Amino acid sequence: GAVVSQHPSRVICKSGTSVKIECRSLDFQATTMFWYRQFPKQSLMLMATSNEGSKATYEQGVEKDKFLINHASLTLSTLTVTSAHPEDSSFYICSAPSENTGELFFGEGSRLTVL
Amino acid sequence: GENVEQHPSTLSVQEGDSAVIKCTYSDSASNYFPWYKQELGKRPQLIIDIRSNVGEKKDQRIAVTLNKTAKHFSLHITETQPEDSAVYFCAARAFGNEKLTFGTGTRLTIIP
């Protein structure tokens, strides 16, 4: 199956700093990628849809100026959490659909802890 | 938009018995229904999916049924094993829309 790689897997940062998370499709091209956030013992909540070469589409209630998304190539999307605060601590997971089947493949996830 | 409800939120089953998890969806345009298994701290893994042109699909101990009229679908795991313990999520997606909407998840515990 297709492989999606996410980096870093864990990051701890101080309040007020920015953190960048990368999501790569390793063996296929992804014009669209999805960013999810998952709080402990909760479901995956879609934050935004990353579109290659154009602006991301954000879900209602997600601050686009706080969660910057860049999809500069067909294999890479980045999520930057700007001015992070403790309430941003969560598990962030990216995903990309297979070109052929549309099946969604997930990255390993990034656990962000903001002190 | 789509709304997916999932029940139960927790389920404990004796090893060897069957487990059933149920989901309902709201958007009649949805035509793709995957099920994911997520172990603690790991990424969700697709275990089975079904499209709206069939009513049932089976893969070894796992089966999924779909009732389009009632807008609900279910995951059935037979002969459960300890390694089946995890959180399971259902999801739904409409044709032409790549966005998946997830259910709230079911924490399945298999009791040895």
Side-chain angles (χ1 to χ4, degrees):
Chain A
V3 178
V4 175
S5 178
Q6 194 172 336
H7 179 81
S9 57
R10 293 178 183 272
V11 57
I12 301 172
C13 69
K14 292 182 178 179
S15 187
T17 60
S18 294
V19 173
K20 180 187 282 188
I21 301 169
E22 293 187 347
C23 180
R24 294 181 186 273
S25 54
L26 297 186
D27 51 359
F28 68 105
Q29 294 182 334
T31 55
T32 302
M33 290 185 178
F34 301 97
W35 287 96
Y36 290 86
R37 180 168 53 184
Q38 186 177 34
F39 291 109
K41 298 186 178 181
Q42 293 191 23
S43 187
L44 291 90
M45 298 303 297
L46 181 65
M47 298 175 65
T49 303
S50 173
N51 304 299
E52 188 269 334
S54 64
K55 291 183 180 180
T57 306
Y58 290 82
E59 295 300 300
Q60 193 172 9
V62 178
E63 300 175 56
K64 59 183 177 182
D65 293 331
K66 179 167 184 64
F67 299 100
L68 301 179
I69 291 173
N70 184 279
H71 195 149
S73 77
L74 287 170
T75 60
L76 173 64
S77 175
T78 61
L79 168 68
T80 301
V81 183
T82 63
S83 187
H85 290 284
E87 56 265 31
D88 298 323
S89 298
S90 187
F91 193 51
Y92 292 86
I93 313 177
C94 68
S95 66
S98 163
E99 296 171 288
N100 300 324
T101 66
E103 178 184 339
L104 208 56
F105 293 94
F106 287 87
E108 302 95 326
S110 299
R111 184 163 300 284
L112 170 64
T113 303
V114 184
L115 303 176
Chain B
E2 175 69 279
N3 182 45
V4 179
E5 295 189 356
Q6 183 171 346
H7 300 280
S9 57
T10 60
L11 179 62
S12 293
V13 173
Q14 206 71 36
E15 182 179 355
D17 288 350
S18 296
V20 180
I21 303 171
K22 298 182 179 182
C23 287
T24 60
Y25 61 99
S26 61
D27 188 352
S28 56
S30 288
N31 65 346
Y32 175 64
F33 309 92
W35 285 88
Y36 291 87
K37 176 183 180 182
Q38 187 180 29
E39 297 178 356
L40 188 63
K42 301 286 182 64
R43 76 182 94 191
Q45 299 275 11
L46 179 70
I47 55 171
I48 196 167
D49 56 12
I50 191 168
R51 297 183 188 273
S52 59
N53 57 343
V54 297
E56 184 174 357
K57 183 177 178 181
K58 191 173 181 181
D59 182 4
Q60 299 182 349
R61 297 187 297 110
I62 296 173
V64 57
T65 58
L66 170 65
N67 183 326
K68 285 192 297 181
T69 304
K71 288 192 275 189
H72 66 69
F73 56 113
S74 301
L75 177 71
H76 304 253
I77 306 175
T78 59
E79 300 172 27
T80 53
Q81 301 168 1
E83 51 265 38
D84 294 330
S85 294
V87 179
Y88 291 81
F89 292 98
C90 63
R93 184 177 74 197
F95 177 77
N97 185 351
E98 293 177 308
K99 206 162 62 169
L100 268 182
T101 300
F102 285 85
T104 47
T106 297
R107 182 172 298 278
L108 175 63
T109 302
I110 307 302
I111 305 166

